[in-house]
Amino acid sequence: MNKSWNVCFCTAAFVAASLSASSAFAGPLVNQLGYYPDAEKTVVFPGNDANGLEVRDLKGKTVLKLKAPLVYDWDYSGEEVQTFDISAVKAPGTYRLFRGGEYVGTPIVVGKNVYGDLVKASLKWFYYQRSSMALEPQYAGKWARAAGHKDDHVIVYGSDKATGGKGAGKTIKSQRGWYDAGDYGKYIVNSGITVFTLLEIYEHFPKYVDSLKWNIPREFPKYPELLEEVRYNLDWMLTMQDKDGGVYHKVSTLKFGGSVLPENDIAPRYAIIKNVTASLDFAAVMAQASVVYRNIDKAYADKMLKAAESAYAWAKKNPEAFYKQPDDVQTGSYMPGDENGKDEFRWAAAELFRAKVAAGAKADKATAAYQEDLKANAFTPDGAWWGNVNMLAAFRVALDSANFDAELVAAAKKVVLNEANNLRAVGDTSAYRLPAFPWSWNWGSNSAMANNGIVLVHAYLLTKDKSYLDGAQQCLDYLLGKNPQDITYVTGFGYRSPHNPHHRPSESDMVDDPVPGMLVGGPHLGKQDINLDGKENWKCPNYAAADKPALAYIDNRCSYATNEVAINWNAPLAYLAAALEAIYLGIPK
């Protein structure tokens, strides 16, 4: 679809940027999909209007009347805003908001299953990201496409003359897997946290997940559909392990390809550099998956556990073998500048100890060694994102008190609950009620908001304290419309949503609508894609002129910094929406 490089989706951000902080704003900012009856429900009005708020049903009956609240400044957008709490509205139905006797905004829905379609679409998107296979119309609809990247002759980097080797190039078969983001690379590090998050949905809410259907091809009909989809990527990850146990970092071309369909991206692909980070992320995920799949496919679970142990052993032998991006490789590096491997060792050790216990291993030295490694590598108050997976280890240990040492469990719970308490304190005092730290406003800020919500859900699962669930709700509300852009950040959902994501299949498939269920990266002030010097006309216009992070977004395919999509962003969206659905529906584990 030849989406224009210069078409800008005009959102409330541009309106807000042009208004003074004291100007009244015509419409409220709300969760455009709706709320569960018992959920916390807040509505934000930019401005300082003295009028109160009336909530009326569709028959015109006033069901709630509130006085004007205090006016708060929100530094992230430079706005004055007023936030109304309408949580008292619990009866299922559709409601309208009135101020000064006039109807404002869009209808608000209260009811059950308000996020069900979102959960299924956000999970089905992984099918649309499949490499090495054609997407058939009966499953993909109008987004059907031919197969791309068979990856049956992937060159091991450095073994061919093009990358400094002497020979024709050693090759491996590295088929299946998901395209990572808007590009066609496949990356172990980002797959790690993505698969963890998706498997966490199943571990925490299995009966809810078992009830979901979203129409994907079935190779393993005894699997729940979520585990069918995840296996497609696990199978690829297994191909990335070398005979010595080490795991290659990624499969990609040497440079990003153009905006073409997968079948037309035909440059040579490479398996690039074994390293400790990829090996440990692989070990953690394979160990976790061996637990999840054990009751439905023991042989596959045993295979993954063996692979996990081998990868961990390789990392122990090569603790300083960190990934360094070669000069001739320009695809994603997925390596933070401060990498020391401690968080990956922490996560892998936690998952392997649990997996060995789940597999019936005796309490021998080999099994105990994983827990001893964990004891010697204390939890830190960091994460979770692909660059720091400490919190994933804390989640595992905190919620698995039956298997781990009591002191470890106490330390993990402290880390999770301290982070959740800090987030909730910010949310309770924020103009938008958003539990977000200053460092949440970075590349992929929307995933940071979703991951903040996941921390709060884990705190709820540990304590059953509803205030944590309320905080998680506010994170989802932000993603679904209660933000200065006045849009949902998910394609195909809500009254207003992105239409021009930075996503090569969407840019080249001749279909006007993007695939539904994609969470775009979100606003921040990195400005990596802005044409600041005027010399590169392919870059974006300056959408961040206001220098306010919550306003720095543009719905344009040029914006890889704010409007790209990625598997590690969709996974926490799916978890957050699924958690609220399952918990509020009262579906037991």
Side-chain angles (χ1 to χ4, degrees), residues 8-17 25 27-30 32 44 46 74 76-77 79 432 441 445-446 477-489 495-498 520 522-524 543-544 546 548-555 562-563:
C8 169
F9 183 76
C10 294
T11 67
F14 296 94
V15 177
F25 192 87
L29 305 172
V30 302
Q32 295 177 18
V44 171
W74 205 44
Y76 300 124
S77 64
E79 299 169 289
Y432 268 74
W441 301 97
S445 64
N446 284 341
D477 289 353
Y478 170 85
L479 298 176
L480 298 181
K482 200 190 71 176
N483 56 65
Q485 308 289 339
D486 192 21
I487 62 171
T488 77
Y489 282 115
Y495 299 112
R496 294 163 294 279
S497 63
V520 299
H524 67 102
Y543 55 82
K548 297 293 182 180
L551 302 181
Y553 168 79
I554 187 172
D555 180 22
T562 74
N563 214 36

Side-chain angles (χ1 to χ4, degrees), residues 125 129 181-182 501-508 515 518 563-565:
W125 179 67
Q129 290 295 100
H502 182 83
H503 180 238
R504 282 163 176 76
S506 295
E507 294 167 12
S508 54
V515 174
M518 298 190 290
N563 214 36
E564 191 171 9
V565 296

Side-chain angles (χ1 to χ4, degrees), residues 440-445 521-530 543-544 548-553 560-562:
S440 299
W441 301 97
N442 52 27
W443 190 306
S445 64
H524 67 102
L525 288 174
K527 304 181 183 181
Q528 295 89 345
D529 51 25
I530 291 177
Y543 55 82
K548 297 293 182 180
L551 302 181
Y553 168 79
Y560 53 83
T562 74

Side-chain angles (χ1 to χ4, degrees), residues 366-378:
T367 300
Y370 295 120
Q371 184 164 237
E372 293 305 311
D373 283 354
L374 190 56
K375 288 181 179 179
N377 186 8

Side-chain angles (χ1 to χ4, degrees), residues 147-151 184 253 257-258 260-269:
H149 305 101
K150 191 175 181 181
D151 286 342
Y184 294 131
T253 51
V260 298
L261 286 168
E263 64 186 288
N264 295 323
D265 185 50
I266 58 174
R269 288 172 55 96

Side-chain angles (χ1 to χ4, degrees), residues 94-434:
T94 300
Y95 299 90
R96 299 194 302 167
L97 304 178
F98 290 78
R99 294 192 81 179
E102 295 186 2
Y103 170 55
V104 290
T106 48
I108 291 176
V109 174
V110 176
K112 294 183 177 181
N113 303 115
V114 286
Y115 311 129
D117 288 342
L118 172 65
V119 172
K120 289 185 283 188
S122 62
L123 292 173
K124 183 167 182 176
W125 179 67
F126 289 90
Y127 163 72
Y128 289 107
Q129 290 295 100
R130 287 189 184 188
S131 171
S132 309
M133 70 174 291
L135 304 188
E136 303 291 345
Q138 63 264 40
Y139 305 110
K142 61 186 177 182
W143 298 284
R145 58 171 171 79
H149 305 101
K150 191 175 181 181
D151 286 342
D152 55 348
H153 289 87
V154 174
I155 305 165
V156 175
Y157 181 87
S159 68
D160 69 327
K161 293 180 180 179
T163 57
K166 296 181 179 179
K170 173 186 174 183
T171 63
I172 64 171
K173 292 183 178 181
S174 194
Q175 296 163 306
R176 301 167 75 94
W178 301 315
Y179 296 129
D180 177 70
D183 66 284
Y184 294 131
K186 300 186 292 191
Y187 303 80
I188 286 291
V189 167
N190 214 33
S191 279
I193 190 170
T194 299
V195 171
F196 168 87
T197 305
L198 295 176
L199 291 179
E200 282 276 272
I201 300 174
Y202 189 79
E203 294 209 61
H204 294 165
F205 314 107
K207 289 187 177 180
Y208 171 70
V209 174
D210 286 345
S211 72
L212 300 177
K213 308 292 180 185
W214 55 86
N215 188 32
I216 58 174
R218 304 307 306 273
E219 263 186 284
F220 306 98
K222 293 183 180 180
Y223 287 15
E225 288 195 16
L226 178 58
L227 299 190
E228 171 100 43
E229 189 59 60
V230 170
R231 175 162 180 166
Y232 194 83
N233 199 66
L234 288 169
D235 285 348
W236 165 70
M237 294 180 75
L238 285 166
T239 72
M240 294 289 280
Q241 186 172 38
D242 199 6
K243 292 179 181 179
D244 63 359
V247 179
Y248 296 106
H249 199 69
K250 59 183 174 180
V251 167
S252 76
T253 51
L254 297 182
K255 298 180 180 180
F256 287 121
S259 294
V260 298
L261 286 168
E263 64 186 288
N264 295 323
D265 185 50
I266 58 174
R269 288 172 55 96
Y270 290 83
I272 303 177
I273 304 179
K274 291 181 290 186
N275 63 88
V276 65
T277 307
S279 298
L280 288 170
D281 283 359
F282 172 97
V285 164
M286 289 298 161
Q288 178 195 17
S290 76
V291 175
V292 174
Y293 285 79
R294 183 157 298 281
N295 290 333
I296 60 172
D297 194 334
K298 182 178 181 300
Y300 191 56
D302 288 343
K303 179 181 180 179
M304 289 188 289
L305 182 54
K306 183 179 179 181
E309 293 182 277
S310 178
Y312 191 85
W314 186 92
K316 291 276 285 187
K317 292 178 182 177
N318 301 276
E320 301 298 322
F322 297 113
Y323 180 75
K324 182 179 180 181
Q325 182 92 310
D327 291 340
D328 60 344
V329 177
Q330 297 178 13
T331 53
S333 65
Y334 282 109
M335 182 57 59
D338 58 350
E339 182 60 68
N340 59 25
K342 290 184 178 181
D343 54 309
E344 286 87 4
F345 269 113
R346 198 172 297 133
W347 180 31
E351 295 291 359
L352 270 161
F353 179 74
R354 181 181 74 136
K356 292 289 286 183
V357 172
K362 297 179 181 178
D364 55 19
K365 289 184 178 180
T367 300
Y370 295 120
Q371 184 164 237
E372 293 305 311
D373 283 354
L374 190 56
K375 288 181 179 179
N377 186 8
F379 297 111
T380 61
D382 302 312
W385 64 295
W386 65 260
N388 192 321
V389 293
N390 164 80
M391 194 62 70
L392 309 189
F395 288 162
R396 173 62 61 234
V397 177
L399 286 169
D400 198 5
S401 58
N403 291 318
F404 288 95
D405 180 89
E407 290 186 7
L408 274 176
V409 173
K413 286 183 177 179
K414 182 178 180 181
V415 166
V416 175
L417 293 177
N418 280 352
E419 184 78 348
N421 289 336
N422 290 337
L423 284 166
R424 197 63 183 124
V426 171
D428 287 343
T429 57
S430 163
Y432 268 74
R433 301 282 181 91
L434 179 64

